[in-house]
Amino acid sequence: MARTTPHDPPPDDDRPLYGRIAAQLLDELRAGTIPPGERLPGERHLAAHFGVSRETVRQALEVLRRGGLVATDRRGSHATLPGRPVEAPESLAFPVGAGSADPCAVDRATVTWEAPPPEHARALDLAPQRPTLVHWYRSVAPDGRSLRTAVTSFSAVVLAEVAELARYRDRADGATPAQLRRAYDWMRKAGLTLHHRDAITQVGDASSVRVTRRVHDQYARPLEITDLVVNAEQDALVYEFTLPAAG
């Protein structure tokens, strides 16, 4: 989420501080930074993010709860407002191809802010050990077998030009779930034309297949790179890719 300055409201904004925080948080929810159903950051994190007290955050969340925009259960607070559909959620996962063919599989996706794998850094023109946003995905069968793993690293270019992705830096703790289903839509809304190139290779004894996807824009600038590894003996690799119209 982007850094804000709630202590400097417009001159005609006479709302209480918690009301302004509620409005700013709602703007970020509507932008899709936190998709519907996904857990919000904790009160301490939100307080630091907005530069206010935890009590102000509690009051802001209560405003959103009364409006039916946020719900709280044993998992914490999460967004409930309907998102603007850009694809069928059941058919498109991020990275594309990450979704498992096993309906009983357990999927987990998180983001970190760290130095990417060296080969990713080279592909993204990042200096060695320079941190960036890294998306981790793993799908595990009910018996514990690993079905699919994926790691995606984003370039400095895409983080500078796509605000919705840049906001994830503040949530990149490796623990908070992060389903970036709208990532490609956000890129296109920012005016980027996406060029995908997939390379498929066998891994080890050929029981697994690696798909390496590189995405560039219309200026040949690297945007992201993904390494997706699929258990070829247990899982079928199926691509379902929808690119909604920009605008």
Side-chain angles (χ1 to χ4, degrees):
M1 292 187 288
R3 183 67 60 181
T4 55
T5 54
H7 298 297
D8 298 314
D12 59 348
D13 191 343
D14 58 356
R15 290 175 297 177
L17 181 57
Y18 68 83
R20 298 199 300 270
I21 298 303
Q24 292 179 38
L25 181 55
L26 180 57
D27 285 343
E28 296 193 6
L29 295 176
R30 284 174 171 162
T33 301
I34 305 174
E38 188 169 320
R39 184 167 60 87
L40 272 63
E43 290 179 358
R44 186 186 303 276
H45 182 106
L46 289 172
H49 170 63
F50 289 112
V52 297
S53 69
R54 293 179 66 177
E55 178 58 31
T56 298
V57 167
R58 291 191 192 100
Q59 292 176 312
L61 290 173
E62 181 58 29
V63 169
L64 297 180
R65 273 192 289 268
R66 289 200 301 267
L69 302 172
V70 165
T72 300
D73 56 25
R74 62 182 182 178
R75 297 186 301 123
S77 296
H78 54 272
T80 59
L81 76 166
R84 180 172 65 89
V86 295
E87 74 279 317
E90 67 276 9
S91 66
L92 180 61
F94 183 87
V96 175
S100 174
D102 188 339
C104 297
V106 176
D107 295 349
R108 177 172 173 78
T110 61
V111 288
T112 58
W113 184 259
E114 62 178 312
E119 61 274 18
H120 283 203
R122 288 191 295 270
L124 299 175
D125 295 331
L126 294 174
Q129 301 305 311
R130 175 178 176 177
T132 190
L133 188 70
V134 180
H135 181 271
W136 297 90
Y137 168 87
R138 187 182 184 198
S139 179
V140 180
D143 62 5
R145 288 178 293 107
S146 178
L147 296 176
R148 299 187 178 193
T149 61
V151 55
T152 300
S153 304
F154 293 94
S155 71
V157 169
V158 77
L159 294 179
E161 299 193 13
V162 182
E164 293 89 345
L165 280 173
R167 289 176 183 146
Y168 270 90
R169 177 174 180 173
D170 287 343
R171 307 179 61 221
D173 57 7
T176 303
Q179 300 288 350
L180 305 187
R181 294 189 181 277
R182 296 185 60 186
Y184 293 124
D185 183 45
W186 293 333
M187 293 181 196
R188 298 185 74 236
K189 284 171 53 184
L192 302 176
T193 298
L194 308 184
H195 299 275
H196 296 252
R197 182 180 186 275
D198 290 355
I200 302 177
T201 56
Q202 293 180 338
V203 179
D205 59 1
S207 63
S208 297
V209 173
R210 180 188 302 276
V211 181
T212 299
R213 168 174 296 113
R214 299 189 183 203
V215 181
H216 293 76
D217 68 3
Q218 62 269 43
Y219 307 109
R221 299 179 301 178
L223 302 178
E224 58 109 327
I225 180 172
T226 295
D227 276 314
L228 169 68
V229 177
V230 179
N231 184 327
E233 292 183 339
Q234 303 291 337
D235 196 10
L237 180 59
V238 178
Y239 278 109
E240 295 189 51
F241 198 170
T242 301
L243 272 180

